[in-house]
Amino acid sequence: GDSVTQMEGPVTLSEEAFLTINCTYTATGYPSLFWYVQYPGEGLQLLLKATKADDKGSNKGFEATYRKETTSFHLEKGSVQVSDSAVYFCALSVYYGNNRLAFGKGNQVVVIP
Amino acid sequence: DTEVTQTPKHLVMGMTNKKSLKCEQHMGHRAMYWYKQKAKKPPELMFVYSYEKLSINESVPSRFSPECPNSSLLNLHLHALQPEDSALYLCASSQDGVRTSGAGELFFGEGSRLTVL
């Protein structure tokens, strides 16, 4: 079935450091790919998306490129801030009559001043 | 208006109580969802309504009963819950099932944090 794999474990880094969170996927169709962010005590917010191969999603300094050849959608930010501390979920959607999202396990990101 | 509004934000209930969670959206979306999220885990899909009809039930116990009174509202009725049902319940909505550029993008509410004693 459709699935998303995120790198294991929390990510702790210093302010202004470079952030990468790996995401790979398995899908039988042509998925749309998403990164959602969840700040403490809140619901999920869409951070960025890409709907076809080679598309680059970007928002708030974050970027991710839809790589069909490596089935990946890695999230990157060049200079993180303390306010970027949150849980980040990679997700995919393949239309089967409903927009079912398959989520990765999520990565807790902690940015230290 | 791009918000999904959920009430209440917090709910504490006993195992014999009956309560309801409510969700509202005014984006004209025709698909609405209930997810359950335990701490430090991704959301798990419970129900999907498409055009006000239940289209997906992910084998959820009958103590959870969804209802979609109209295209803007989604309720989750709770009865005889167990302590392990304590979680954050997230409502979401999306455009209809037609594959458009917005397909798959879900808009989530802030969630209702449920504690079952």
Side-chain angles (χ1 to χ4, degrees), chain A residues 30-32 34 36 38 41-46 49 51 89 93-95 97-101 103-106 108, chain B residues 33 35 37 41-43 45 48 50 55-56 58 88 90 94-97 99 101-106 108-110:
Chain A
Y30 299 94
S32 295
F34 307 87
Y36 281 86
Q38 187 171 31
E42 298 186 9
L44 274 71
Q45 301 175 24
L46 179 68
K49 67 180 180 182
T51 57
F89 292 99
S93 171
V94 181
Y95 172 65
N98 289 286
N99 290 323
R100 304 183 72 145
L101 276 181
F103 284 96
K105 291 187 176 181
Q108 173 83 54
Chain B
Y33 309 73
Y35 281 84
Q37 186 180 26
K41 298 291 187 183
L45 183 64
V48 181
S50 182
S55 60
I56 295 176
E58 293 283 4
L88 181 67
L90 294 164
S94 70
Q95 293 179 0
D96 63 22
R99 189 70 190 269
S101 61
E105 179 176 347
L106 268 61
F108 284 86
E110 297 279 314

Side-chain angles (χ1 to χ4, degrees), chain A residues 72-100:
Chain A
S72 65
F73 193 55
H74 304 321
L75 182 69
E76 296 182 337
K77 185 173 184 181
S79 177
V80 293
Q81 305 300 312
V82 172
S83 57
D84 294 323
S85 298
V87 180
Y88 293 81
F89 292 99
C90 186
L92 70 81
S93 171
V94 181
Y95 172 65
Y96 294 129
N98 289 286
N99 290 323
R100 304 183 72 145

Side-chain angles (χ1 to χ4, degrees), chain B residues 32-63:
Chain B
M32 296 187 76
Y33 309 73
W34 280 116
Y35 281 84
K36 173 182 178 180
Q37 186 180 26
K38 301 286 270 186
K40 301 187 187 302
K41 298 291 187 183
E44 298 173 5
L45 183 64
M46 299 175 72
F47 303 104
V48 181
Y49 274 82
S50 182
Y51 292 88
E52 301 163 46
K53 288 187 173 15
L54 183 65
S55 60
I56 295 176
N57 176 343
E58 293 283 4
S59 302
V60 178
S62 60
R63 57 186 184 268

Side-chain angles (χ1 to χ4, degrees), chain B residues 75-117:
Chain B
N75 299 323
L76 186 63
H77 302 299
L78 314 171
H79 175 54
L81 295 193
Q82 304 297 311
E84 59 264 29
D85 296 322
S86 299
L88 181 67
Y89 288 84
L90 294 164
C91 175
S93 69
S94 70
Q95 293 179 0
D96 63 22
V98 174
R99 189 70 190 269
T100 68
S101 61
E105 179 176 347
L106 268 61
F107 292 80
F108 284 86
E110 297 279 314
S112 293
R113 189 163 299 281
L114 173 67
T115 303
V116 182
L117 301 176

